[in-house]
């Protein structure tokens, strides 16, 4: 099949794309970082009086619920990507999946606000993450559909920068306005729909290539979800690097609320988390935008990924060696700079090692597993580390190791500089 080079996308396209990601990340990361841990604390009876003798139960509960959602993301990302490759509708092939995923995501969040049992929290969070995964898989595939290679660094940076923006705005909404769980989740659900809608309304969707119009069978679809690392080594190394770096980042951030509350025992963990997230946000945005522009300009991706892994490793070591709120702020800046640099350049790199031009959605869906699943598995792995070491130092040491190994793995890619 002849692959047509996309025309350069406009600033308007990029702005709407970034706005959609602000809504998606806000709805996913604000609950993940703050409200879901608080719901779990309330369900366990922590309230305002911290039960310091049993705080690990809260960490473990959050880890197991997040681990269940990781399984949903593991299935949904490649499946939604593969099905969107073949979708034929007058609305396009990606837009129905973005819209359907966003609506499912919003419903899951609202239902989550009504829950006060373990299985209620687990099922509704899994429902929300399934919608998040479907929408993200289709939205990410539009980079390969519509963005030329020499513009993908810039465009991909507007997947990562909104992650920080959405997180800080979402946490501010939940903490500063002091909304209850149901009201807070409802506000996030409405903002999710409002911010994604302009992209769906104004951006044209790619037509389905004739090659993709063949009848789909379950066996054929499942066979496509496997990509051999031996036959596609660059895809395999990029996937491995993304898994390792994202596990490292998840270990360093996903239990941060519990670290502030039970590790440092700060008086106001909500406001401390908001402040740390603000520091993290500034450095994620700055690093992602600068890295994306510079990477496109010099035509290199791998050096930025290596630097990102090292910065994440240094950040985690700072927290482990000097457990205090000021040192955690320094680490947040380093972690933000490293992760912003990684996200901007790695997404562009991922689009350049896809093995099958006919199935961008499916291939990027597999690649995006390495972004969402480690994030969801991070609390489960982190809870085990915290329990095994009876503290948080081992958690941050493990974060450093994963970050550095992820950067080294990407150096093995041969087809991209």
């Amino acid at each position: 099949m002849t692959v047509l080079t996309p025309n350069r996308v406009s600033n308007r396209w990029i702005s709407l794309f970034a706005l959609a990601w602000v809504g998606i990340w806000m709805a996913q990361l604000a609950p993940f970082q703050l409200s879901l841990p608080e719901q779990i604390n309330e369900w366990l009876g922590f309230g305002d009086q911290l039960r310091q003798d049993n705080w690990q139960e809260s960490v473990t509960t959050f880890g197991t619920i997040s681990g269940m959602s990781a399984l949903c993301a593991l299935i949904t990302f490649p499946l939604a990507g593969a099905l969107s490759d073949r979708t034929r509708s007058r609305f396009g092939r990606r837009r129905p999946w973005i819209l359907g995923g966003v609506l499912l995501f919003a419903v899951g969040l609202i239902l989550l606000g009504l829950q006060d049992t373990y299985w209620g929290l687990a099922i509704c969070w899994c429902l929300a993450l399934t919608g998040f995964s479907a929408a993200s898989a289709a939205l990410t595939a539009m980079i390969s559909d519509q963005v030329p290679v020499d513009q993908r660094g810039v465009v991909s940076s507007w997947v990562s920068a909104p992650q920080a923006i959405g997180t800080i705005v979402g946490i501010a909404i939940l903490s500063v306005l002091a909304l209850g769980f149901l009201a807070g989740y409802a506000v996030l659900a409405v903002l999710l729909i409002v911010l994604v809608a302009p992209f769906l309304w104004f951006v044209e969707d790619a037509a389905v290539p004739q090659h993709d119009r063949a009848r789909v069978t379950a066996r054929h679809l499942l066979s496509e979800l496997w990509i051999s690392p031996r036959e596609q080594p660059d895809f395999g190394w990029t996937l491995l690097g993304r898994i390792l770096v994202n596990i490292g980042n998840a270990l360093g951030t996903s239990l941060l609320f519990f670290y502030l509350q039970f590790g440092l025992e700060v008086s106001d963990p909500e406001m401390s988390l908001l402040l740390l997230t603000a520091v993290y946000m500034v450095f994620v945005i700055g690093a992602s935008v600068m890295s994306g522009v510079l990477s496109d300009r010099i035509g290199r991706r791998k050096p930025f990924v290596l630097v990102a892994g090292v910065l994440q490793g240094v950040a985690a070591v700072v927290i482990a060696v000097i457990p205090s709120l000021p040192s955690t702020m320094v680490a947040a800046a380093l972690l933000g700079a490293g992760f912003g640099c990684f996200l901007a350049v790695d997404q562009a790199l991922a689009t350049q090692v896809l093995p099958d031009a006919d199935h961008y959605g499916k291939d990027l869906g597999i690649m995006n597993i390495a972004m969402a699943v480690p994030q969801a598995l991070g609390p489960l792995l982190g809870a085990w580390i915290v329990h095994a070491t009876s503290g948080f130092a081992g958690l941050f040491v493990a974060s450093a190791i994963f970050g550095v190994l992820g950067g080294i793995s990407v150096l093995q890619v041969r087809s991209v500089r």
Side-chain angles (χ1 to χ4, degrees):
M1 173 182 171
T2 301
V3 181
L4 299 178
T5 302
N7 296 321
R8 292 179 67 83
V9 294
S10 65
N11 290 334
R12 178 172 172 269
W13 193 102
I14 296 173
S15 297
L16 295 176
F17 183 76
L19 190 65
W21 279 110
V22 169
I24 288 173
W25 288 127
M26 181 192 304
Q28 195 259 336
L29 290 175
F32 184 73
Q33 294 282 354
L34 180 60
S35 55
L36 183 57
E38 284 187 324
Q39 261 187 296
I40 290 170
N41 280 348
E42 183 173 295
W43 170 64
L44 290 172
F46 281 85
D48 295 327
Q49 302 297 320
L50 303 184
R51 290 160 39 195
Q52 295 293 343
D53 60 327
N54 201 29
W55 60 267
Q56 292 185 22
E57 183 181 359
S58 185
V59 176
T60 302
T61 301
F62 178 63
T64 56
I65 290 176
S66 187
M68 289 182 222
S69 72
L71 180 60
C72 295
L74 179 67
I75 297 170
T76 305
F77 261 112
L79 191 59
L83 292 174
S84 75
D85 285 333
R86 293 174 165 83
T87 296
R88 292 179 289 173
S89 79
R90 61 192 182 94
F91 301 108
R93 59 173 173 169
R94 311 296 185 193
R95 277 191 292 194
W97 290 90
I98 298 172
L99 177 60
V102 164
L103 293 177
L104 180 61
F105 192 1
V107 170
L109 287 176
I110 293 172
L111 292 177
L112 184 64
L114 298 170
Q115 306 307 312
D116 58 2
T117 67
Y118 175 84
W119 284 109
L121 292 170
I123 291 171
C124 290
W125 183 242
C126 286
L127 187 68
L129 257 289
T130 299
F132 160 80
S133 301
S136 298
L139 190 59
T140 304
M142 295 191 78
I143 299 177
S144 295
D145 289 345
Q146 301 192 23
V147 182
V149 171
D150 64 355
Q151 208 180 7
R152 288 181 186 175
V154 172
V155 172
S156 296
S157 71
W158 289 108
V159 177
S160 54
Q163 187 177 66
I165 298 170
T167 304
I168 187 67
V169 173
I171 289 176
I173 289 171
L174 295 175
S175 59
V176 175
L177 298 182
L179 299 171
F181 293 125
L182 178 58
Y185 286 130
V187 169
L188 293 179
V190 170
L191 288 174
L192 166 66
I193 295 171
V194 168
L195 293 175
V196 175
F199 185 86
L200 293 173
W201 184 264
F202 293 109
V203 173
E204 295 293 329
D205 197 359
V208 181
Q210 187 66 32
H211 178 80
D212 286 334
R213 296 180 184 268
R215 189 172 66 90
V216 181
T217 65
R219 181 177 181 181
H220 183 215
L221 188 59
L222 290 173
S223 68
E224 284 188 354
L225 297 182
W226 166 251
I227 296 176
S228 171
R230 177 173 295 181
E231 296 176 4
Q232 302 291 340
D234 284 352
F235 186 89
W237 283 116
T238 302
L239 186 67
L240 177 61
R242 179 175 278 202
I243 290 172
L244 294 173
V245 170
N246 277 286
I247 288 177
N249 184 74
L251 291 175
T253 60
S254 61
L255 298 180
L256 194 56
F257 180 77
F258 295 107
Y259 173 65
L260 293 170
Q261 188 174 28
F262 302 122
L264 297 183
E265 299 182 21
V266 299
S267 58
D268 191 347
E270 286 188 7
M271 293 308 297
S272 296
L273 179 63
L274 181 60
L275 180 59
L276 286 172
T277 306
V279 173
Y280 179 80
M281 176 196 73
V282 170
F283 283 86
V284 167
I285 294 173
S288 63
V289 173
M290 287 190 295
S291 298
V293 171
L294 185 58
S295 174
D296 283 345
R297 184 169 299 173
I298 68 176
R300 290 181 177 270
R301 313 291 189 198
K302 292 193 294 184
F304 294 90
V305 178
L306 179 60
V307 170
V310 172
L311 283 175
Q312 284 190 234
V314 173
V317 169
V318 168
I319 301 179
V321 174
I322 312 173
S324 68
L325 187 57
S327 66
T328 305
M329 290 183 183
V330 173
L334 292 171
L335 188 65
F339 199 55
C341 178
F342 172 79
L343 283 177
V345 178
D346 180 69
Q347 186 65 45
L349 187 151
T351 64
Q352 292 177 243
V353 298
L354 300 180
D356 188 349
D358 289 338
H359 299 99
Y360 282 147
K362 179 264 295 183
D363 294 341
L364 277 174
I366 295 172
M367 190 66 74
N368 284 337
I369 287 174
M371 180 175 67
V373 173
Q375 183 186 76
L377 281 176
L380 182 60
L381 177 59
W384 180 83
I385 294 172
V386 169
H387 179 75
T389 60
S390 299
F392 290 89
L395 177 73
F396 296 114
V397 170
S399 173
I401 293 172
F402 277 107
V404 172
L405 289 177
I408 293 173
S409 297
V410 175
L411 292 181
Q412 309 306 312
V413 174
R414 300 304 179 196
S415 63
V416 180
R417 294 193 299 169

